[in-house]
Every structure is written in C-alpha cells, then in structure tokens.
C-alpha cells in the first residue's frame, strides 16, 4: 500500500531545521522518499494524506515510562498478574494516542513490558513500539518499599553483592529484555530523609554494566544524588534517569562520556501538585530537596552539551499515561531550546535505544512513524499536548485529533 503525506512544515531532526512544503512517500510500513511538494505527482493507487496545514515530525519516543503502573506502583498489588498485563496494554495505547509511537518501559513486574512489546510486534494488540527492561535491580537496604515487599511482590528485584548482581543481570537478559535497569540511589517516594543516598557500590554497578555490555544492551541507572550519579557514570551507565541533584563534576563527566540524561521533570512537578495530605509529608519534603537542585542541574547540562533523551516516568502521582507531553513545556522552562526538546524525543531517543537505523527521523528506509500538530511548537510548545495525527508503521491511528480505535480494543 502506497501513501503520500503532504506536509506544510516538516521537522528535519537530522539537520535540525524545519522544512516547508514537503511530501513523505510511504510504501507499506517504511518511508521511501521525502521530496518537495512542488511538482509532486501522486503515483497511481497512492492514498493522499493532506497535512499541508500541519507541523509534521517523526513519532515521539518517551524513554522513561512504567506501563505496568499508573499514578503509583501501589495499585498493581491488588490485581492479579494477568490483570496487570491487560492494563499494561491499555496504557501502551494511551501513550501512542498522545503521540508516542515508541516507549521505553523503565521497570515492571513479571516482565509484562516484554510481553506487551511482543504482543504488539506480533499484531495481537495495537500500540507503540516498546523497549523493555523487565525487573529493575534494587539493593536490600533501599527502603523504596516496605520491608515485607519482597520477591514477586516487589516492583524492583532486590539483589546485592557483585556475584548475585552478575547472576541476576544474566537472568534479566534471558528474559529477552532490550536494556538493563538499576536503582543506584534512593528515590523520592521512599521513606527516609535522604532522597539522593547511594545504595549500590561502584563494583556492584559495574557488575551489572559489564553483563549488559556483553549482550550489547544499554544500561539505565536511576540516580538522584550527586555521588550516586558519578558512580553510575564511571561504572558505565548509558543513561542517568532523573539526575535531579547532579553536581558540576557529574555533569562534566556525563558530557565527556556521552551519558544520556533523562530528566523526567514532569514526575517531580506532578507530585508537587498533589494536595498536601494525599501523600506522606516526608515525600513532599524530599521532593523539595530534589526540585531545589533539578533546574540548576538541567541548565548546567544544557551548557555543558550533555545529551538529553525525553523521558517522563509516566505512572507517578499526577503524571498519568497519555498526559506526559507537558514534559516538553517543562524542558523549555528548565532551559532547553524548543529544538533540543523535540530532538530529545526523536533522534536522541532513537540513539539511546539503539534504533536509529529505523526511527528518530523522517528518512527513506526508516519506519513511517509520523505525528502532526495543528500549530507550530516553535510558536507555542504547549501544542505538543494536542497531537492531531498519529501514524505508526504506515498505519493511521489518530486523525483530526480523533482516535481511530478505542483503547479498549
Ligand atoms: Zn521510573
């Protein structure tokens, strides 16, 4: 099936510029050509999709979501494992209808992210492309969850010691994951007074990094505190998730080594917006500490030329699946240019996930993953909250702002 998309404006993510009056030619699920609309004649039998009054760009990539959860990790504990799986697929669809034709599932129970990825790949369900890590690793002394939440119940797998970590990383790899994830420092939602406290030693982090590397997999490290961030970067992290309290030395190291920063600003902002009393007071106290540093860390990273990948932690309180596009506005508010915010969710997301051959730009040979907006995000970044058109692999899922399939299908 041949399709041609007439584009009023088209974001060229490889050359960092906006082109006008272009046409994207598509055959089946791939782009075959991008050419000037002037003098274009549609090949016979070609369906014309007219987006000549729209801003068109590659499908978005959110490099940090949790499809198995929503609003918090607590709710999944009341559900059967199978229910968690069904809900995971439903949330994947919400992400895609918000413009994310690919998401990186940054931690789940029961490897449901892997199963969701495969179900969508086989055509058993519709949804975005998924990169999944399965169970993230968390140290015994990390009090992210109550002490009795262990084993199959724990959203993060509890493991420590170099040998145990090597063994568990191998087990994760055996479950057909796309990357490996480790909680190097404590988080915001855990009880305790130090949100950035380091929980794994450098040798432990390195053990996971080495096994991930043997298998050619990216290694993602959750880290808030300056010391934990530097440990993770030194030990071989591909990306630092959150990175709220990075110091100058850490940011410098990330710039030098090409470590990605996945800022997830909407996660902290979403929690801060929750009514006082709806969450333990301690969480708000820790959040204040993180937020006091986060903007400065992001600004420093922009100045030092650190690579950013768009990621939101969709699933945290006030940050539900399908609404995380407000991260774009927050990134601009924290100091990124509009162009850099858009690149973080396209070409950079593809690079972090090692899928640049297929995604991240509107280029002949790549998948026809395309989104469009009625307004120009360079005029108003909030237009990213109102995706008008979504295509994945040459199939249209949203047109004129209306979903073509219900999310329950
Ligand atoms: Zn997360």
């Amino acid at each position: 099936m041949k399709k041609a998309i007439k584009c009023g404006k088209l974001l060229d993510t490889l050359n960092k510029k906006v082109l006008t009056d272009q046409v994207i030619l598509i055959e089946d699920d791939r782009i075959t050509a991008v050419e000037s609309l002037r003098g274009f004649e549609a090949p016979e039998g070609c369906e014309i999709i007219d987006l000549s009054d729209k801003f068109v760009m590659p499908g978005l990539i959110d490099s940090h979501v949790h499809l198995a959860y929503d609003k918090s990790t607590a709710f999944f504990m009341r559900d059967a494992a199978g229910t968690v799986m069904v809900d995971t697929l439903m949330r994947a669809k919400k992400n895609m209808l918000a413009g994310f034709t690919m998401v990186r599932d940054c931690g789940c129970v029961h490897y449901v992210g892997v199963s969701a990825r495969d179900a969508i790949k086989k055509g058993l369900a519709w949804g975005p492309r998924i990169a999944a890590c399965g169970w993230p690793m968390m140290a015994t002394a990390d009090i992210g969850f109550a002490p009795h939440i262990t084993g199959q119940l724990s959203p993060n797998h509890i493991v420590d010691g170099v040998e145990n970590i090597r063994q568990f990383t191998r087990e994760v790899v055996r479950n057909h994951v796309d990357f490996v994830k480790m909680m190097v420092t404590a988080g915001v939602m855990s009880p305790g007074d130090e949100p950035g406290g380091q929980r794994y030693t450098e040798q432990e982090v390195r053990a996971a990094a080495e096994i991930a590397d043997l298998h050619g997999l990216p290694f993602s490290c959750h880290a808030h505190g300056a010391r934990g961030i530097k440990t993770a970067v030194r030990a071989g992290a591909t990306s630092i998730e959150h990175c709220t309290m990075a110091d100058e030395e850490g940011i410098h190291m990330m710039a030098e080594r090409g470590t990605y920063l996945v800022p997830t600003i909407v996660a902290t902002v979403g929690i801060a917006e929750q009514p006082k009393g709806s969450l333990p007071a301690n969480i708000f106290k820790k959040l204040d500490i993180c937020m006091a540093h986060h903007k400065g860390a992001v600004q420093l990273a922009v100045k030092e030329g650190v690579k950013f990948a768009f990621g939101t932690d969709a699933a945290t309180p006030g940050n539900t699946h399908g609404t995380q596009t407000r991260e774009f506005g927050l990134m601009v508010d924290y100091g990124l240019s509009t162009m850099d915010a858009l690149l973080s969710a396209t070409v950079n997301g593809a690079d972090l996930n090692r899928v640049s051959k297929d995604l991240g730009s509107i280029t002949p040979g790549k998948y026809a993953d395309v989104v469009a907006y009625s307004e120009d995000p360079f005029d108003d970044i909030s237009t990213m909250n109102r995706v008008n058109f979504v295509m994945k692999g040459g199939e249209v899922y949203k047109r004129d702002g209306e979903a073509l399939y219900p999310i329950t299908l």
Side-chain angles (χ1 to χ4, degrees):
M1 180 69 189
K2 286 182 182 165
K3 291 184 177 123
I5 303 178
K6 292 181 175 178
C7 310
K9 291 179 180 174
L10 175 63
L11 182 67
D12 177 348
T13 55
L14 298 181
N15 296 302
K16 303 183 188 181
K17 58 184 183 188
V18 179
L19 310 171
T20 51
D21 299 327
Q22 300 288 302
V23 59
I24 307 168
L25 295 170
I26 295 160
E27 199 167 336
D28 300 325
D29 60 348
R30 300 263 178 182
I31 296 160
T32 53
V34 182
E35 42 186 73
S36 170
L37 196 50
R38 209 169 306 142
F40 164 73
E41 278 185 39
E44 206 170 316
C46 177
E47 182 192 338
I48 305 287
I49 296 169
D50 190 1
L51 301 179
S52 53
D53 59 347
K54 302 279 186 289
F55 182 95
V56 182
M57 61 180 289
L60 306 176
I61 300 171
D62 187 334
S63 288
H64 193 133
V65 302
H66 296 278
L67 296 174
Y69 316 122
D70 209 2
K71 301 189 179 81
S72 102
T73 50
F75 299 102
F76 89 97
M77 289 181 193
R78 67 180 177 207
D79 294 327
T83 306
V84 175
M85 178 73 242
V86 172
D87 285 347
T88 292
L89 281 170
M90 183 267 297
R91 292 186 196 112
K93 292 167 184 175
K94 284 187 178 177
N95 280 269
M96 190 152 113
L97 292 178
F100 299 99
T101 51
M102 178 171 183
V103 294
R104 181 170 171 254
D105 188 58
C106 236
C108 62
V109 284
H110 312 302
Y111 295 98
V112 291
V114 172
S115 303
R117 175 198 69 194
D118 292 347
I120 291 166
K121 231 189 234 177
K122 287 181 197 160
L124 302 175
W126 66 268
R129 303 173 198 283
I130 297 174
C133 67
W135 242 307
M137 282 171 267
M138 183 176 90
T140 301
D142 190 328
I143 44 173
F145 304 102
H148 62 278
I149 306 292
T150 58
Q152 297 279 312
L153 254 188
S154 179
N156 299 326
H157 185 87
I158 298 165
V159 58
D160 19 43
V162 167
E163 271 315 311
N164 294 337
I165 286 168
R166 281 204 185 109
Q167 152 73 25
F168 185 72
T169 309
R170 288 189 164 105
E171 197 180 311
V172 168
V173 172
R174 190 185 158 107
N175 279 278
H176 304 288
V177 298
D178 302 287
F179 66 105
V180 171
K181 165 106 185 269
M182 187 175 225
M183 313 297 281
V184 175
T185 74
V188 171
M189 304 293 283
S190 49
D193 56 3
E194 201 205 347
Q198 188 174 334
R199 296 293 174 259
Y200 278 119
T201 67
E202 188 165 334
Q203 289 90 332
E204 287 174 316
V205 184
R206 201 178 292 280
E210 279 175 0
I211 303 298
D213 188 53
L214 279 186
H215 295 274
L217 299 179
F219 177 51
S220 150
C221 290
H222 159 112
H224 284 285
R227 181 179 139 179
I229 290 166
K230 287 183 275 195
T231 297
V233 174
R234 265 197 308 272
T238 315
S239 60
I240 302 293
E241 313 296 321
H242 320 302
C243 204
T244 52
M245 293 180 282
D247 63 9
E248 244 180 276
E249 192 189 5
I251 293 293
H252 196 70
M253 284 166 64
M254 289 173 73
E256 233 173 42
R257 293 172 198 229
T259 316
Y260 269 100
L261 196 166
V262 184
T264 68
I265 304 164
V266 66
T268 47
V269 169
I271 298 170
E273 288 167 355
Q274 297 306 297
K276 302 287 170 213
S278 66
L279 293 164
N282 169 67
I283 290 180
F284 290 109
K285 216 196 266 168
K286 289 173 72 174
L287 193 71
D288 286 346
I289 301 171
C290 290
M291 287 182 83
H293 291 84
H294 203 182
K295 196 169 190 172
V298 168
Q299 283 169 342
L300 197 58
V302 169
K303 208 168 111 211
E304 289 271 332
V306 171
K307 295 191 286 186
F308 279 84
F310 181 98
T312 61
D313 220 355
T316 50
N319 179 27
T320 189
H321 291 278
T323 67
Q324 72 266 41
T325 44
R326 63 190 186 123
E327 177 78 3
F328 285 104
L330 292 167
M331 287 175 105
V332 170
D333 182 43
Y334 272 45
L336 275 87
S337 67
T338 297
M339 179 61 87
D340 283 341
L342 299 182
L343 296 178
S344 78
T346 52
V347 71
N348 286 10
D351 182 46
L352 170 61
N353 289 290
R354 301 186 184 167
V355 291
S356 301
K357 187 172 70 62
D358 290 320
L359 298 169
S361 64
I362 308 278
T363 308
K366 293 195 184 186
Y367 284 124
D369 288 11
V370 179
V371 292
Y373 300 85
S374 295
E375 290 121 61
D376 184 334
F378 288 90
D379 297 333
D380 177 6
I381 192 71
S382 79
T383 192
M384 297 306 290
N385 299 331
R386 298 177 293 277
V387 70
N388 180 274
F389 173 88
V390 179
M391 170 185 273
K392 181 198 150 208
E395 287 290 324
V396 180
Y397 290 88
K398 194 174 205 178
R399 199 192 282 256
D400 298 324
E402 296 292 328
L404 301 191
Y405 304 97
I407 56 163
T408 47
L409 194 67

